[in-house]
Amino acid sequence: MNKLGKKVIIHAPYIDQSVRYPTGCESVSAVMLLQYLGIDITVDEFIETYLEKQDFQEKDGVLFGPDPRKYFCGSPYDEDSFGCYAPVIVKAIEKVFSDVKTGKCGEKYADGGQYRALDETGTSLEKLLTKYIDDGMPVICWACIDMREPVIGPQWHLLETAAGQSTGEIFTWISNEHCMLLVGYDEENYYFNDPHNGNGLTGYPREITEKRHRAQYMQAVGVRKTI
């Protein structure tokens, strides 16, 4: 699809993470999307009920920590914590959808539909526009805070389970990791509801955004209607 000269903005709810959720960008972005779907849920409810979290441990001067593909690393309320990757958010959103269907979470969807969450890691931003944005559906995307340069490190030994066993694998975090809600585009920019520092609806140049998206493993979470 030729998108030159076209501008699309999806008007999703905006939530600022700055005061209460300093490392909660993934949860805040997920809740912005869920609220857009008409689901009555707060960020605190999402974090406390649906997000799987695991703390760090230090043993004999060695740091052990969670696998961010399985758990949020630390707590979204803690400014010294890290974050999580797409599979964690997919799992949390799917649990929300399950509870909405049974009436345990909020109210029924505003349009009576049902949804499922999809891990779109590896999908280009351009393809996400065609697959989701042009269909009126925002997308949760990973990039870097304010499109800063990614920074390699720190590292920790992965914990296999909450019981504290180590897998023996050393994990390297890519710092300046950030999650936002992709809501639109034009010829020059991708537009996000950016929860960092009250940024609000923000346009970032396409080339730098694509670079930062690649730096965070091209992670994204999409939602599709099932009925």
Side-chain angles (χ1 to χ4, degrees), residues 3-216:
K3 295 180 172 60
L4 295 181
K6 181 178 180 181
K7 184 171 184 177
V8 174
I9 299 291
I10 299 170
H11 297 287
Y14 177 74
I15 303 171
D16 179 17
Q17 74 176 92
S18 304
V19 176
R20 185 161 173 77
Y21 319 105
T23 54
C25 55
E26 302 94 347
S27 296
V28 171
S29 296
V31 171
M32 287 192 283
L33 176 54
L34 291 168
Q35 290 184 357
Y36 174 75
L37 297 179
I39 298 174
D40 184 14
I41 185 172
T42 67
V43 178
D44 292 300
E45 288 169 340
F46 185 86
I47 291 171
E48 293 165 8
T49 305
Y50 299 101
L51 183 70
E52 296 197 14
K53 303 170 287 293
Q54 192 177 66
D55 290 328
F56 287 85
Q57 302 175 21
E58 188 171 335
K59 301 176 183 179
D60 299 322
V62 178
L63 184 64
F64 293 83
D67 185 338
R69 297 158 293 195
K70 298 179 181 179
Y71 302 97
F72 185 94
C73 302
S75 167
Y77 301 109
D78 181 0
E79 63 182 11
D80 293 323
S81 289
F82 290 86
C84 64
Y85 287 169
V88 179
I89 296 301
V90 169
K91 188 173 182 179
I93 291 176
E94 281 291 295
K95 287 192 284 186
V96 172
F97 289 160
S98 177
D99 277 1
V100 170
K101 291 174 189 176
T102 60
K104 293 180 182 178
C105 172
E107 299 177 357
K108 296 294 183 182
Y109 306 111
D111 63 0
Q114 294 181 4
Y115 299 90
R116 62 191 177 103
L118 300 171
D119 189 340
E120 290 287 0
T121 298
T123 303
S124 70
L125 289 173
E126 188 70 25
K127 189 170 182 180
L128 291 173
L129 299 182
T130 303
K131 189 172 181 180
Y132 292 97
I133 302 300
D134 284 341
D135 199 32
M137 183 65 73
V139 184
I140 301 165
C141 287
W142 277 252
C144 294
I145 296 173
D146 297 329
M147 298 302 160
R148 301 171 193 166
E149 290 277 351
V151 177
I152 305 300
Q155 294 183 325
W156 59 83
H157 294 257
L158 289 183
L159 293 169
E160 184 175 7
T161 68
Q165 295 93 356
S166 173
T167 65
E169 179 183 350
I170 297 176
F171 179 82
T172 302
W173 181 257
I174 307 298
S175 293
N176 284 333
E177 176 262 0
H178 189 42
C179 190
M180 302 174 286
L181 189 66
L182 176 64
V183 295
Y185 64 89
D186 59 21
E187 185 175 349
E188 297 179 349
N189 299 302
Y190 295 103
Y191 289 90
F192 298 87
N193 275 11
D194 182 353
H196 174 67
N197 201 29
N199 283 345
L201 177 64
T202 304
Y204 292 108
R206 282 178 171 242
E207 184 177 358
I208 190 67
T209 305
E210 289 165 0
K211 286 182 179 179
R212 301 300 181 249
H213 184 56
R214 288 195 296 270
Q216 296 293 343

